Amino acid sequence: MLLLLMVSGEEMNRRLQLLFHFTAASVLGYGLYYDICNVKPPQEYLDKSINFGWKWKYLTFIDANIQLLYFAFCCIVDILTSNESTTANRTTLQSIRDTFFSTVVFPIGLFVCVTFWGLFAIDRDLVYPTILDTFIPVWLNHVMHTVILPFDLIEQAVCFHRYLSTPKGLLLSGGAMVLYALWVFYIAYRTSFWVYPVLAVLNWTFRILFILGCMALAMVFYLFGQTLNSMLWGKQEIKKSSKKRKSKKTA
């Protein structure tokens, strides 16, 4: 009877995970669909921007696609694998999910939300000029810059992720930000256009320092995610692993 309750409980958790992942993917998917198909910037804005790189020059758009890809992938993992919350017997799909979430999805998701609203509070024109309010709905702004934070935090709470060693994790997380920084500099080199107004008002010394600070912050968010994962799942992981070892010894 107890075993039956445990099995049914694990199945219920797996279904709740699937429901959460499907909900997150649906919200992000609709937000991106609306952004691509229905957001039409006025000519006044287009005159101050460039077509080079399309929306892919913005980390917000890249991150929203990363989040959508992750939560959609999680739906597949939920359907095809178990809800096992130990490091033993991880499937390839689970390992891919864990690495992707820990090194890219979580740190970049937090980075986008925290830096956007931080700079917005200081001077919104540095990241989100008032002209954007004329053609981007408030709800879409929050889908891109706000709901990602609770989605990623809830993901930490409802799904165990196996983190890489700290050096490897920091290397991958920092490397992702390096790639984006190179992309931003390449756009500026080709077009003399800075993707974010804050970079346009800084000289080169402070631009480099700003970019380095952003990379460091992304790595801090990786360490935060690693610590949070350990706080939420560390004891349970050890407990379940020890139970498996005891059952093997008894057998």
Side-chain angles (χ1 to χ4, degrees), residues 6-152:
M6 290 177 63
V7 172
S8 61
E10 289 181 359
E11 179 63 21
M12 179 62 69
N13 289 337
R14 190 171 71 86
R15 291 182 180 182
L16 289 175
Q17 272 190 11
L18 178 58
L19 177 61
F20 165 66
H21 290 146
F22 179 78
T23 300
S26 298
V27 170
L28 293 163
Y30 180 74
L32 282 168
Y33 163 78
Y34 189 94
D35 183 45
I36 294 171
C37 298
N38 295 300
V39 173
K40 307 298 182 184
Q43 190 60 43
E44 179 186 357
Y45 176 78
L46 294 176
D47 290 340
K48 297 178 181 179
S49 185
I50 58 170
N51 290 325
F52 186 83
W54 194 52
K55 293 178 182 287
W56 293 106
K57 57 180 171 287
Y58 299 109
L59 185 58
T60 293
F61 186 78
I62 295 173
D63 179 54
N65 279 274
I66 288 173
Q67 302 289 329
L68 172 60
L69 176 63
Y70 172 76
F71 285 111
F73 181 69
C74 281
C75 291
I76 298 174
V77 176
D78 292 336
I79 294 171
L80 298 181
T81 67
S82 68
N83 192 32
E84 182 63 50
S85 58
T86 68
T87 57
N89 301 321
R90 304 297 281 176
T91 66
T92 300
L93 290 177
Q94 288 173 322
S95 296
I96 294 173
R97 178 199 64 189
D98 294 348
T99 301
F100 188 35
F101 177 78
S102 61
T103 61
V104 178
V105 176
F106 186 81
I108 293 182
L110 262 67
F111 177 85
V112 167
C113 295
V114 172
T115 55
F116 174 82
W117 289 113
L119 290 171
F120 189 96
I122 297 171
D123 182 357
R124 65 167 296 170
D125 287 331
L126 294 176
V127 288
Y128 200 78
T130 53
I131 190 176
L132 298 179
D133 292 335
T134 62
F135 60 92
I136 297 180
V138 173
W139 68 264
L140 181 58
N141 181 27
H142 284 297
V143 168
M144 296 296 199
H145 296 113
T146 307
V147 300
I148 288 171
L149 177 59
F151 279 167
D152 286 350

